Amino acid sequence: MSLPVNRRSTLVAALAAALLVPGLAACGSSGPKAADGGSGASATATASSGAAPKAANLTVLAASSLTDVFKTAGAAYETAHPGTKITFSFAGSQELAAQVKQGSPADALVTADTKTMDGLEGETGEPSIIAKNRLVIATGKGNPFRIAALKDLADTKIKVVLAAPEVPVGRYGKQILDAQKVEVKPVSQEPNVRAVLSKVELGEADAGLVYKTDSAKSADKVETVEIPDEQNAVASYPAATLKQSKNAEAAATFVAWLSSPVAQKILQDAGFQKA
């Protein structure tokens, strides 16, 4: 029996609407998936966009010459990023590299030279230079031996302490001494720049080659002898996220922040040079 035209039209419309419902549901379900895909974008993109990352506990491996300034920078960062806690682990750059290779849990790395960072290719994100530094001669208070230049360090009466050659500051020191043909026989070779400075502060050495920022921080304990630019070396500090980090987004945000005006002012107020 045929249906009246009106009822037939109504039934066709109902069937058509029923067929459209699954299609609409499928279209609707693609929305959240697309949104999820957007939130899975790279941590670096999130950091550069200025989006606030989730609060996290970050462990940052940093060169020992950054000890004082990073304590200030870390406090400033935590204030600006409530809920985020930064723990720094300071050591010679070569020690930090060894820790990364051994899989020590950490989120970001800042070294005192590009060579060490380059040796970790595959372990880090793309590094960026955040600051620079220069070497000076640190002497005992009052500079009793009247040290005025690199050549004075060759005097065997002067107890000179240097960083080990595998340490960035030790490598820089050897570079500038060799360039000036100054032969120094150090009484010891230390694992990082803070250890060199400590020897001079305690009177266990008469002089040592350290970074300008370290010597300036101990102005009440040591004297600083400047080294002319043409005889000096420039230390570059690259910062990068670690691929082993479990807080990739937060780590990328912190590394990006180190190049921000706020962080750069903190670094430069401490005596570091612009990147």
Side-chain angles (χ1 to χ4, degrees):
M1 180 176 71
S2 62
L3 295 170
V5 174
N6 288 346
R7 289 187 62 193
R8 192 187 318 154
S9 299
T10 302
L11 180 59
V12 170
L15 287 171
L19 289 172
L20 282 171
V21 170
L24 289 171
C27 292
S29 66
S30 67
K33 287 183 181 178
D36 289 346
S39 65
S42 71
T44 302
T46 301
S48 61
S49 70
K54 295 178 180 178
N57 292 326
L58 296 178
T59 298
V60 178
L61 306 179
S64 58
S65 53
L66 293 166
T67 300
D68 298 308
V69 70
F70 262 21
K71 288 177 181 177
T72 301
Y77 187 82
E78 289 175 356
T79 298
H81 298 78
T84 294
K85 172 69 177 175
I86 299 181
T87 300
F88 292 107
S89 178
F90 298 104
S93 296
Q94 81 291 347
E95 293 180 49
L96 301 177
Q99 291 178 34
V100 172
K101 290 177 180 177
Q102 291 165 7
S104 178
D107 302 290
L109 171 69
V110 187
T111 62
D113 67 333
T114 55
K115 182 177 180 179
T116 300
M117 185 68 78
D118 290 344
L120 294 171
E121 186 177 3
E123 305 278 354
T124 72
E126 185 67 27
S128 58
I129 305 298
I130 63 162
K132 293 187 177 182
N133 213 340
R134 290 180 180 273
L135 271 64
V136 296
I137 303 169
T139 76
K141 197 64 182 171
N143 192 3
F145 286 89
R146 299 294 182 264
I147 297 169
L150 287 171
K151 62 183 178 59
D152 296 333
L153 299 180
D155 189 337
T156 55
K157 299 187 193 70
I158 299 174
K159 292 186 293 182
V160 179
V161 62
L162 301 174
E166 62 268 21
V167 183
V169 70
R171 193 182 314 121
Y172 294 133
K174 185 179 186 305
Q175 174 187 325
I176 64 177
L177 289 170
D178 288 350
Q180 298 304 309
K181 296 181 172 54
V182 176
E183 185 177 351
V184 175
K185 294 182 179 179
V187 294
S188 70
Q189 292 183 315
E190 302 299 320
N192 57 65
V193 69
R194 301 305 287 247
V196 173
L197 186 63
S198 178
K199 290 279 187 180
V200 179
E201 289 176 342
L202 296 172
E204 296 175 11
D206 303 313
L209 288 177
V210 301
Y211 293 119
K212 185 173 183 177
T213 51
D214 290 290
S215 185
K217 192 69 179 178
S218 294
D220 58 331
K221 299 177 182 177
V222 301
E223 299 289 339
T224 297
V225 178
E226 298 282 348
I227 300 172
D229 286 349
E230 62 272 18
Q231 297 178 10
N232 215 329
V234 177
S236 295
Y237 290 73
T241 57
L242 293 174
K243 290 186 177 178
Q244 65 193 27
S245 171
K246 295 181 179 179
N247 303 292
E249 184 179 318
T253 301
F254 174 72
V255 169
W257 179 83
L258 290 173
S259 294
S260 71
V262 172
Q264 286 296 298
K265 185 177 188 307
I266 292 172
L267 285 161
Q268 287 160 36
D269 285 349
F272 288 85
Q273 297 177 326
K274 292 177 68 174

